[in-house]
Amino acid sequence: MNPRERFDAAVAALPLVAILRGVKPDEAVAIGAELVEAGFTMIEVPLNSPDPYASIARLAEAFGNQAVIGAGTVLTPDMADAARDAGAALILSPNCDTAVIARAAGHGLATMPGVATASEAFAALAAGADSLKLFPARELGAGTIAAWRAVLPAGTRIFGVGGVDETGFAPFVAAGAAGFGLGSSLYRAGATPAEVRGAAVRTVAGWRSVRQ
């Protein structure tokens, strides 16, 4: 499968993105192993982490057949190029930069740009985005997704990212959220694999409880 097909399969399996902001290359694989064991199929390394491309490369080598490895906080087309070269299959951003989306899509990578308005959402889709990241989700609220779904193309996937953990999934799912990105509730810089294991198991259980 190509990266976009792999992303679709990962979303179908478990639409939760584990965001490892601050992870270091020498700990990335141990953390990733706990996430994959818990059921995660998407792992993001933000590019403002220490030596992020090395972490992406190690995760892609270790888990590339089990999970989609993504690069987050991708702010320029050159960063998208470097992430692709490191082995990233998914490009995520906190903002809607159509040049970044187009470059990543041109490489055949999956994309999930951050959007905060309907105008940004439409611009991202026109540039080739595979999914949208409502950011910051806690502040914008589940009602934003419900309103957008009335006007966005049918089937548009919107992920809630920013300030939402497993205790807050339900209203967003009810509004039509396709999934979530989990940061500090799942991983904080310096967290041990055992700590991540516990958080990952709770998060997956929380997702499954609202999808029953």
Side-chain angles (χ1 to χ4, degrees):
M1 290 189 291
N2 64 42
R4 299 174 95 163
E5 291 170 338
R6 290 174 54 216
F7 174 67
D8 289 342
V11 171
L14 184 75
L16 303 177
V17 181
I19 304 170
L20 304 184
R21 191 176 306 280
V23 74
K24 297 177 181 177
D26 62 358
E27 59 191 6
V29 172
I31 297 295
E34 298 296 347
L35 293 167
V36 170
E37 178 66 22
F40 275 84
T41 57
M42 295 178 283
I43 302 173
E44 169 190 342
V45 177
L47 295 187
N48 55 359
S49 303
D51 201 0
Y53 300 112
S55 291
I56 291 169
R58 294 187 186 190
L59 288 166
E61 181 178 5
F63 307 111
N65 293 328
Q66 299 166 273
V68 171
I69 308 303
T73 319
V74 178
L75 304 178
T76 68
D78 287 346
M79 293 169 79
D81 292 344
R84 184 273 310 266
D85 293 343
L90 171 63
I91 300 299
L92 308 99
S93 303
N95 62 327
C96 176
D97 187 318
T98 57
V100 171
I101 299 167
R103 180 69 63 85
H107 290 319
L109 305 179
T111 56
M112 189 190 297
V115 294
T117 68
S119 294
E120 290 179 343
F122 279 106
L125 293 173
D130 295 275
S131 293
L132 304 176
K133 177 169 73 173
L134 179 73
F135 181 78
R138 180 177 61 191
E139 285 72 21
L140 292 169
T144 300
I145 292 179
W148 288 0
R149 280 173 55 82
V151 295
L152 290 175
T156 298
R157 293 177 297 208
I158 307 173
F159 285 67
V161 183
V164 181
D165 62 15
E166 69 276 7
T167 65
F169 286 169
F172 285 88
V173 171
F180 299 89
L182 292 306
S184 59
S185 67
L186 187 62
Y187 174 82
R188 292 179 183 270
T192 66
E195 290 169 336
V196 173
R197 180 189 316 132
V201 169
R202 288 192 302 273
T203 302
V204 173
W207 169 257
R208 289 176 176 160
S209 71
V210 301
R211 298 300 294 174
Q212 289 179 346

